[in-house]
Amino acid sequence: MTDTSEQTEQRLKKLQELKLAGLDPYNQSFSPQNKAIEIHSHYGAYDKEGLETKQIDASVAGRVMALREFGKAAFAHIQDSTGRIQLYFKKDALGDAFTLLKKIDVGDLIGATGRLFRTKTNELTIEVRSFTILSKSLHPLPEKWHGLKDVELRYRQRYLDLIVNPDVKDIFAKRSAIIKAIRDFFEEQGFIEVETPMMHLIPGGAAARPFKTHHNALDLDLYLRIAPELYLKRLLVGGYEKVFEINKNFRNEGISTRHNPEFTMMEFYIAYKDYNYLMSLTEDLFAAVATKVVGSLQIPYEDTTIDLTPPYRRLPMLEALIQKGMPENVIQDEVKAFKWAKSRGIELAQGTPLGKILDEIFKELVEPELIQPTYVIDYPIELSPLAKRKPDNPGLVERFELFIAGREIANAFSELNDPIDQRGRFLRQVEAKAKGDDEAHEMDEDFIRALEYGMPPAAGEGIGIDRLVMLLTNSKSIRDVILFPLLKPER
């Protein structure tokens, strides 16, 4: 035991006393017949006389959240997965079993059966006829959890966070509903859900540093997936026309309120469409999910209201930079762009290529101001090695990123299906990696070979599930919507 507090010692003593009395403090099973929410919803309208007439029995199980003893009687509130219900223990009704209450503490899990009635304060309550201890808690619950300033403790001991903070449990119930709504939407659109590998021979599908692992039997270095894109597009080559995957990705990057090295993405691909089609589809998706889960397209988020009503604003990336005072001739010149960025306090490594310079300027000056849904479209080709060129401007690609509340929520483009062009772009990425760009793509010969068999014109998109959940639950940090975010080890 790491907690040697007096309360823990007292609980350990009670544990031993239960065992000596022949009672199992970690009972094998109990079958509750009712949930707290069901009792309140079904019988909440009954008055005292109605409950006496009906003689309604109930059987519940949950964690003791409050316990008050009054000599020959006691009250407790227990909490199950749906809410709380009050229990009433009466010595006259329980006999010798009443003394077992002395061995129960707040935090213990118990099961109880009895009959519904209303107290003098009119609270719907179960008068207990029998009860049993299901699991003894050896540590006291935090008494002033809501006042804790150390939010890291909430993430590290999420089990406690969920026990004492109903709002947190609600967030994760909504997360589940959001994912279900997304899955329902795409299945209704005729997409098929697939699974692709999480361990890759070659990291690809995004600009990110991968995590590396090793397969002993094959003596083979592998990489945890940074994106499923290249495998999903192989399926388009194979004849599928609509595919999606809700997947875990892993990127060896920093941790912030917007980033966790392990995160959930939803990626989908559709043949014979382009990025313009995806913008309309994404608006339909977000409207459907928000309506189903939140019940409105007006989403309260921090100090504002996000309006998800289609259509969303469309803003070319280079036009956004010009609006921030960056001259057009500077946008086209790597040296001038570098100096312009440095003059505004944007830190860049010497030799940073033009595309990344523009991206960093955009992230610093434009991104934080994109509060209402905005598609930033038509990116420099250097930033998008897997996207199709714009026919009227081959230096740009048909790509958009959807920004809401100052952060990227989705990334999409018309897919490059020209194997010769794709090989050339991979080669330039290989050159960049050789010069020290840890996030550059590697050459993937099998993916090129797949394209050489012919991939239909297509559009693909990735949506950050965690960030979407943040938006729809009004959560400020990505750690608030991931049950077990990555943390430094405890000291």
Side-chain angles (χ1 to χ4, degrees), residues 40-171:
H40 288 294
S41 62
H42 291 165
Y43 309 112
Y46 282 65
D47 60 14
K48 181 178 179 181
E49 289 73 20
L51 290 174
E52 288 177 354
T53 301
K54 286 285 185 180
Q55 297 286 292
I56 301 163
D57 291 326
S59 170
V60 294
R63 190 178 298 274
V64 177
M65 302 303 292
L67 180 62
R68 307 180 307 282
E69 294 187 48
F70 305 99
K72 296 183 179 181
F75 286 94
H77 278 97
I78 68 166
Q79 176 176 287
D80 63 19
S81 61
T82 66
R84 296 188 181 189
I85 186 72
Q86 180 168 259
L87 305 181
Y88 174 59
F89 301 85
K90 191 176 179 181
K91 186 175 182 180
D92 291 347
L94 292 169
D96 293 342
F98 186 80
T99 59
L100 184 58
L101 280 174
K102 297 293 183 183
K103 302 295 186 285
I104 292 178
D105 295 290
V106 171
D108 290 357
L109 289 161
I110 68 171
T113 59
R115 185 156 291 172
L116 290 177
F117 79 107
R118 287 196 178 273
T119 63
K120 292 180 180 179
T121 59
N122 205 37
E123 183 170 353
L124 188 61
T125 303
I126 299 174
E127 182 178 344
V128 177
R129 304 294 172 85
S130 65
F131 69 98
T132 183
I133 297 177
L134 301 177
S135 184
K136 185 70 184 166
S137 174
L138 300 183
H139 299 286
L141 297 180
E143 294 179 6
K144 298 181 180 179
W145 190 260
H146 294 280
L148 284 181
K149 296 180 180 179
D150 185 1
V151 293
E152 184 175 305
L153 187 60
R154 290 181 48 231
Y155 304 141
R156 193 177 298 282
Q157 297 183 29
R158 181 67 87 185
Y159 40 88
L160 281 183
D161 195 19
L162 293 167
I163 290 171
V164 301
N165 193 342
D167 292 343
V168 173
K169 193 176 288 185
D170 290 344
I171 286 173

Side-chain angles (χ1 to χ4, degrees), residues 169-187 193 244 246 264-266 284-296 299 301 308 409 463-475 480-482:
K169 193 176 288 185
D170 290 344
I171 286 173
F172 290 102
K174 271 191 177 178
R175 180 187 175 105
S176 179
I178 289 166
I179 292 173
K180 182 180 185 302
I182 291 172
R183 181 174 276 116
D184 291 346
F185 177 89
F186 279 95
E187 288 178 348
E193 184 172 6
F244 77 95
I246 297 174
T264 304
M265 285 281 288
M266 189 278 182
D284 292 343
L285 168 67
F286 278 37
V289 173
T291 300
K292 186 173 289 188
V293 177
V294 183
S296 173
I299 309 299
Y301 190 76
L308 293 179
I409 299 287
I463 297 172
I465 296 294
D466 306 309
R467 292 184 181 181
L468 179 58
V469 175
M470 287 172 64
L471 174 68
L472 297 181
T473 60
N474 197 5
S475 299
D480 293 330
V481 300
I482 296 175

Side-chain angles (χ1 to χ4, degrees), residues 200-273:
H200 293 182
L201 280 167
I202 300 170
R209 285 187 296 175
F211 287 97
K212 194 173 184 178
T213 187
H214 186 81
H215 189 281
N216 291 332
L218 296 177
D219 191 21
L220 192 64
D221 286 338
L222 295 167
Y223 300 90
L224 297 185
R225 173 172 61 196
I226 59 174
E229 176 170 342
L230 301 187
Y231 283 94
L232 291 172
K233 288 199 282 194
R234 284 174 169 91
L235 296 179
L236 296 182
V237 174
Y240 288 103
E241 295 183 0
K242 293 180 176 182
V243 293
F244 77 95
E245 182 175 11
I246 297 174
N247 55 80
K248 284 287 188 181
N249 290 336
F250 307 85
R251 297 182 185 178
N252 203 343
E253 58 190 12
I255 297 174
S256 73
T257 57
R258 304 182 184 191
H259 298 89
N260 192 67
E262 175 185 352
F263 61 98
T264 304
M265 285 281 288
M266 189 278 182
E267 286 209 18
F268 64 96
Y269 292 81
I270 179 169
Y272 311 114
K273 302 294 183 183

